[in-house]
Amino acid sequence: MAGLLVLLGGAGGIGGAVGAQARSGPEADVAYHGRVVLGGARLRILLIPENEGPAALANTTLRLRVSADLADRQELAGGCARAGLREVVCETGELPPHGRGRHIGLALRLKEPVAEVVVRVDTWWNGGAIDRNGANNEHVVLALDTGDTYAF
């Protein structure tokens, strides 16, 4: 079954280009691509952060928010931390201009099985970079409990 993808456009996350002060930072275009799979109470997410340039970024932080409560105990990938009942943040590592960051794989456990889950991905921190294209780093993905892969 083909995946359903819903995109949410908007300005860059915290640290995005807002006001005159942010205009002094490097210009970069952070983007995320990935896959989401929901099966039972397990939510698997693969994220690939990219920088479409022109400047390199030493590190950024992406945020994942899900519409269902996460189980109390999680084994998270390195560079990732729990940020709430339904939220995880992960550092991307260095993002070279026109290059990719490290692949981030998460196997999250939900508190209980759900029929569907909405996963929101966005930039939580970008080091003060100017990102004029927030549409490619803010995604909303609906995944059904079918075991199918939903790509974004």
Side-chain angles (χ1 to χ4, degrees):
M1 172 187 266
L4 170 68
L5 168 68
V6 180
L7 295 178
L8 172 68
I14 294 173
V18 178
Q21 208 170 22
R23 292 189 186 117
S24 63
E27 184 171 346
D29 184 8
V30 177
Y32 304 113
H33 303 284
R35 299 186 299 261
V36 175
V37 178
L38 176 63
R42 298 258 319 155
L43 179 63
R44 294 188 325 251
I45 302 171
L46 173 66
L47 288 152
I48 304 169
E50 295 182 1
N51 177 7
E52 297 179 6
L57 295 173
N59 198 3
T60 66
T61 305
L62 66 87
R63 175 175 56 178
L64 294 163
R65 292 174 289 163
V66 298
S67 61
D69 288 347
L70 297 172
D72 293 336
R73 294 181 156 236
Q74 300 287 331
E75 291 185 30
L76 298 174
C80 295
R82 184 87 176 256
L85 291 174
R86 298 178 172 191
E87 192 170 349
V88 173
V89 293
C90 297
E91 65 179 1
T92 63
E94 183 179 351
L95 291 175
H98 308 290
R100 292 181 169 181
R102 68 182 185 93
H103 292 192
I104 301 167
L106 296 167
L108 301 174
R109 291 180 300 121
L110 302 177
K111 227 177 212 235
E112 57 188 40
V114 294
E116 65 185 34
V117 68
V118 175
V119 178
R120 296 175 188 278
V121 180
D122 64 5
T123 299
W124 189 62
W125 177 80
N126 70 6
I130 297 168
D131 189 341
R132 299 183 197 282
N133 183 9
N136 61 1
N137 65 7
E138 295 184 7
H139 303 282
V140 178
V141 182
L142 172 65
L144 304 177
D145 183 15
T146 59
D148 292 327
T149 299
Y150 297 86
F152 62 94

